[in-house]
Amino acid sequence: MYEPLQARGAHLTVFYTQNSINSSAFPLLALGWVTHKIMPAPGTKPKFYLTTPIYYTNGLPHIGHTYSTIVCDTIRRYKRMCGYDVVMTTGTDEHGVNVERSARAAGVPEADYVNRMASEWRKIWDDFGIQGDEFIRTTEPQHARTVQWLFKKCREAGYVYKGHYTGQYCVFDNAFVNDAKPGDPCPDCGRPTETITEENYFFKLSGFQERLLKFYGEHPDFIQPEARRNEILSFVQGGLRDLSITRTAIRWGIPVPDESPHVFYVWFDALTAYLSAVGGPDFDRRGYWPADLHLVGKEIIRFHAVYWPAFLMAAGIPVPKQIWAHGWLLMDSAKMSKSKGNVVRPRPIVNVMGMDALRYYLLRETVFGQDGNFSYDALVTRYNADLANGIGNLASRTLTMVEKYCGSQIPIRAESDVEASLRANAEAAIAAANTNYTQYNFSLALEAIWNLIARVDELITTQKPWTLADQKLQPQLNAVLYSAAEALRVATVLAYPVIPASTEKVWKLLGQTSPLREQRIDALKWGQLKPGTRIAKTEPVFPRIEKADAIERMEAMEQDASKPAAPPTPSLPTASAATASAGGAAAAPAPATGPVKIGIEDFMKVELRVGQVQTAERVAGADKLLKLTVDIGTEIRQIVAGIATVYEPDKLVGRKVVVVANLAPRKLRGVESNGMIVAASIEAENRPVLAGFLEDVPVGTRLK
Ligand code: MSP
């Protein structure tokens, strides 16, 4: 990665970089569009800088955005475990006409609107433990200075001129649509385009065709994956048109100095945020630029792989090393978007399943770089199969036996066939996981780790430690349990970048005291678990989750969240978010700050009524759900209830129940439910018990 510096262009600029660690000055030759960082000084860590897209503030994150941020967070954790000094930047893209419109609709000034939205974004990432190291907002003064400085450098180098532009503009994507005629829709989002004529400053992108093609040729890994690289190559080969980089029709943007009313085009503005986050004009002082990786979704590859390197080349600033464009998460085979109404938000999932479940599912199920379908069903199935029955079960099985047969201490290590075979498996997993993490093949890295887990499980089943214990064959028993515990340690270290919170728990259960995140994953070796280590009291890391119930809860929360909301206000952490960010499964969210007392007026908002079941039938494909019609005195309601595992439909007909009558309608497994039946929920047995009355009560009576 830290190849010697090579000359790449004719224009030679000399920068001086102040090494922040040992405070000695090193000359850094930035040769037109050099992509190298200076070699780290001996004893200092090599630097690695990666970024998520800088997200728009006219909405809040759905799981597509969450996916990008999770991937970056996983790479950040992995690189740190390989000894890098890593900086990950995320942030919010806060200018443009969409923000003007959203702020107007919310009846607040733009600045207030974006302040609130940015704090919501930041809070979501904080709650999920994926906040990165730098959070850049494009409305920050330091960023404005960087944008203005970059423009000045491009202009001084002769790559900027003033002209007029008339074209079809997609307001939503903040982009002119090349070749579109009036009336044409935007090819990316399908919305109508608007005809706009403006006096603009233009960037001479047309002058960069050859340079870009040469650059792509010399850096075959610059654009990944291959399909995206080919797409960009043919786009650039087709010829480049100059790009207008200022606007006069928009107010809410960074002003072009001395050129009122020009403000910068949002992409010129937003792309520069990657640089402002690590020092802006002083980027050489912090030493993280050029970025090692810009991770983006495939729809914004052109901005990153064509425009951005051209701006930087024009200004004589080093170009990032790699742009990785991942695929989309699809819902019902379409890209999620607010306008299509098919978004899935992360909070309900994290509240019910835990953050690690979402991280694991997204990275295991989707081949990185390709589109993947999101489904609640597959999420819970993966959780139960790989997390509850996989690593969770292996941890509790192994550690319970160490507790029982070895006095809660890691037994002595004895050379044996069992150990040799597991050691070979572990070494193969270490090699495969590292190779695949390095290539961002997350699903294959996880497959290699889970193969090891399956192998240990198999070994325990065939070696039967309980029989060895009965037969008092302590040396053999020690060999099996040492190997199983050591393999669990290896799997735990390897899985940390993807499921950090739950592997931390397993790490502690294994009696390890040094921080897991500081283990060197690339130098992981078999046999490092110290015999005699006292393990902690076993506790489940990933309790099994009942599928129908979990889906029902996630869907219900998603529906609540999809209701039009007032403009966002910074909110307190929710109980379940706190549970979720703390780690693995969040099967039963609990209040974070103790029970909250409500006044009688709050209780009276809930309209509880006596109802009588008229009909009851099972909901196809949902083991737990019954579809009921219930007479509540004033009307007959259809209500879906999660009680099918305990109550036979025909036994319910005629039964009096308590109904929450003023609950907003929602759909459960596609079936509309108009109210809720009240039941006690015996959590330990996962059993509902219907509320009822000892005396007879008329249908429709209100409970107070
Ligand atoms: N503001 C620009 C980016 C500027 S970067 C200098 C922008 N913002 S965005 O809020 O629309 O975020 C787009 C990014 O969110 C995508 O590039 C991708 O990383 C992520 N995703 C949004 N929808 C997605 C899916 N359905 N699936 C996967 N990721 C998606 O574009």
Side-chain angles (χ1 to χ4, degrees):
M1 173 158 314
Y2 288 84
E3 312 153 46
L5 216 55
Q6 289 164 8
R8 284 241 156 64
H11 310 287
L12 193 103
T13 323
V14 178
F15 291 88
Y16 283 87
T17 180
Q18 183 77 23
N19 185 299
S20 53
I21 298 172
N22 65 9
S23 296
S24 57
F26 291 93
L28 166 65
L29 298 177
L31 302 161
W33 48 97
V34 162
T35 61
H36 305 279
K37 273 185 198 127
I38 198 157
M39 290 282 288
T44 60
K45 292 179 173 183
K47 291 182 156 67
F48 190 90
Y49 178 39
L50 79 166
T51 63
T52 71
I54 307 299
Y55 301 109
Y56 288 132
T57 37
N58 52 329
L60 289 173
H62 57 61
I63 57 161
H65 307 109
T66 313
Y67 175 58
S68 302
T69 309
I70 286 176
V71 169
C72 272
D73 182 74
T74 301
I75 298 172
R76 166 180 177 256
R77 290 174 194 270
Y78 175 73
K79 288 286 178 189
R80 287 214 168 134
M81 289 178 99
C82 292
Y84 284 84
D85 164 10
V86 185
V87 165
M88 168 179 148
T89 287
T90 188
T92 38
D93 182 352
E94 304 183 6
H95 288 126
V97 74
N98 280 326
V99 170
E100 282 180 1
R101 287 180 183 175
S102 302
R104 203 175 310 129
V108 292
E110 287 92 348
D112 289 0
Y113 180 81
V114 294
N115 282 345
R116 286 188 234 160
M117 290 303 269
S119 79
E120 286 277 315
W121 275 84
R122 198 197 279 258
K123 182 172 172 340
I124 287 177
W125 299 148
D126 275 354
D127 288 348
F128 292 174
I130 50 177
Q131 62 276 61
D133 307 291
E134 298 288 344
F135 189 96
I136 184 82
R137 298 182 53 191
T138 60
T139 49
E140 287 171 39
Q142 88 188 58
H143 170 69
R145 277 195 298 275
T146 308
V147 173
Q148 292 167 343
W149 165 82
L150 180 67
F151 175 76
K152 189 162 165 269
K153 287 190 77 93
C154 292
R155 196 175 184 184
E156 283 167 0
Y159 292 108
V160 171
Y161 65 93
K162 213 178 213 178
H164 280 93
Y165 185 81
T166 299
Q168 293 308 115
Y169 189 79
C170 173
V171 169
F172 188 81
D173 291 334
N174 283 312
F176 277 105
V177 181
N178 282 340
D179 306 324
K181 295 180 295 303
D184 283 355
C186 167
D188 282 335
C189 70
R191 293 178 174 82
T193 56
E194 294 173 14
T195 307
I196 291 190
T197 299
E198 282 194 343
E199 183 195 58
N200 287 164
Y201 277 99
F202 281 76
F203 178 79
K204 278 191 197 161
L205 188 63
S206 55
F208 284 84
Q209 185 186 23
E210 288 312 315
R211 289 200 225 180
L212 283 169
L213 290 173
K214 182 161 179 284
F215 179 78
Y216 302 148
E218 286 169 351
H219 300 88
D221 292 339
F222 176 63
I223 305 166
Q224 288 291 319
E226 203 55 25
R228 301 277 94 81
R229 173 179 157 79
N230 294 337
E231 180 186 308
I232 291 298
L233 284 183
S234 64
F235 172 73
V236 177
Q237 278 155 357
L240 294 174
R241 293 217 212 143
D242 291 350
L243 186 74
S244 94
I245 52 167
T246 69
R247 299 281 179 269
T248 50
I250 300 169
R251 256 183 334 99
W252 184 242
I254 297 175
V256 180
D258 306 322
E259 297 288 351
S260 179
H262 287 267
V263 298
F264 287 102
Y265 166 47
V266 282
W267 277 99
F268 189 85
D269 166 348
L271 288 161
T272 309
Y274 297 139
L275 190 57
S276 357
V278 287
D282 288 333
F283 63 85
D284 51 325
R285 193 169 312 150
R286 283 191 63 189
Y288 290 98
W289 193 263
D292 293 0
L293 174 68
H294 289 319
L295 184 98
V296 298
K298 63 182 182 181
E299 80 287 5
I300 55 174
I301 182 78
R302 189 180 296 178
F303 300 99
H304 285 80
V306 182
Y307 303 168
W308 183 224
F311 299 155
L312 294 169
M313 285 174 182
I317 298 167
V319 169
K321 292 189 189 159
Q322 192 169 56
I323 315 290
W324 232 105
H326 65 71
W328 289 335
L329 288 183
L330 307 176
M331 187 67 184
D332 303 327
S333 305
K335 180 172 185 265
M336 280 174 215
S337 80
K338 229 167 50 174
S339 58
K340 284 197 210 105
N342 64 347
V343 294
V344 173
R345 267 153 277 247
R347 266 208 207 279
I349 299 173
V350 173
N351 289 352
V352 174
M353 307 286 300
M355 184 59 184
D356 280 1
L358 178 62
R359 293 174 71 109
Y360 180 81
Y361 167 75
L362 291 177
L363 294 187
R364 179 74 176 84
E365 199 90 353
T366 323
V367 176
F368 191 58
Q370 295 176 16
D371 289 351
N373 251 312
F374 176 82
S375 109
Y376 288 116
D377 202 288
L379 166 72
V380 186
T381 302
R382 267 282 171 210
Y383 172 92
N384 280 331
D386 294 4
L387 298 178
N389 291 352
I391 193 166
N393 183 46
L394 176 66
S396 68
R397 220 178 163 192
T398 306
L399 295 171
T400 306
M401 286 191 286
V402 170
E403 197 174 295
K404 194 161 163 199
Y405 304 132
C406 310
S408 291
Q409 287 186 1
I410 300 296
I412 47 170
R413 185 183 166 194
E415 305 259 319
S416 67
D417 290 350
V418 165
E419 196 204 305
S421 112
L422 219 45
R423 175 189 187 136
N425 284 295
E427 284 168 354
I430 294 169
N434 275 296
T435 306
N436 286 302
Y437 273 136
T438 307
Q439 297 169 354
Y440 310 142
N441 273 329
F442 305 105
S443 54
L444 292 182
L446 292 172
E447 198 176 302
I449 305 166
W450 260 256
N451 282 343
L452 173 64
I453 291 170
R455 194 53 207 102
V456 193
D457 254 336
E458 201 180 294
L459 182 111
I460 293 176
T461 309
T462 53
Q463 295 293 318
K464 303 191 175 52
W466 45 93
T467 311
L468 297 175
D470 284 350
Q471 296 169 348
K472 310 252 179 304
L473 297 170
Q474 196 65 33
Q476 287 91 325
L477 182 61
N478 287 349
V480 175
L481 291 184
Y482 180 86
S483 306
E486 173 58 353
L488 176 64
R489 184 189 71 92
V490 167
T492 303
V493 175
L494 292 177
Y496 169 82
V498 178
I499 47 170
S502 31
T503 45
E504 290 272 15
K505 285 190 198 158
V506 177
W507 192 244
K508 292 215 177 84
L509 292 180
L510 273 165
Q512 303 302 302
T513 46
S514 57
L516 173 55
R517 64 175 183 281
E518 285 172 16
Q519 299 300 304
R520 278 299 288 254
I521 196 168
D522 54 339
L524 186 57
K525 297 250 174 323
W526 177 265
Q528 306 294 301
L529 186 57
K530 273 218 210 72
T533 307
R534 183 155 285 282
I535 61 161
K537 185 102 197 85
T538 315
E539 55 177 72
V541 181
F542 289 112
R544 267 191 78 78
I545 288 182
E546 211 280 311
K547 190 192 270 185
D549 176 60
I551 296 179
E552 185 185 321
R553 285 163 59 200
M554 287 186 281
E555 284 183 344
M557 287 185 214
E558 175 55 48
Q559 277 188 24
D560 281 350
S562 65
K563 292 199 190 97
T569 45
S571 54
L572 292 167
T574 61
S576 20
T579 318
S581 58
T593 49
V596 177
K597 302 256 193 288
I598 58 167
I600 187 73
E601 66 290 353
D602 282 328
F603 173 71
M604 287 309 287
K605 286 182 195 153
V606 183
E607 189 189 333
L608 294 169
R609 292 205 179 269
V610 176
Q612 187 165 37
V613 178
Q614 307 284 299
T615 64
E617 61 182 272
R618 291 185 184 278
V619 173
D623 306 346
K624 280 197 66 177
L625 298 184
L626 289 185
K627 183 170 87 176
L628 312 172
T629 48
V630 183
D631 180 358
I632 60 162
T634 47
E635 60 184 303
I636 309 284
R637 289 279 185 89
Q638 174 172 296
I639 300 178
V640 179
I643 54 174
T645 47
V646 178
Y647 294 93
E648 283 301 322
D650 51 352
K651 301 242 168 64
L652 281 175
V653 175
R655 182 162 174 160
K656 292 206 173 136
V657 287
V658 177
V659 173
V660 183
N662 61 341
L663 200 64
R666 57 187 179 142
K667 279 199 173 152
L668 299 171
R669 291 301 186 97
V671 183
E672 171 134 335
S673 183
N674 239 310
M676 191 173 90
I677 308 283
V678 177
S681 172
I682 305 180
E683 293 284 344
E685 301 163 33
N686 210 354
R687 186 162 63 94
V689 177
L690 288 175
F693 300 92
L694 294 174
E695 287 92 15
D696 195 25
V697 276
V699 168
T701 311
R702 181 146 189 202
L703 281 78
K704 294 180 190 172

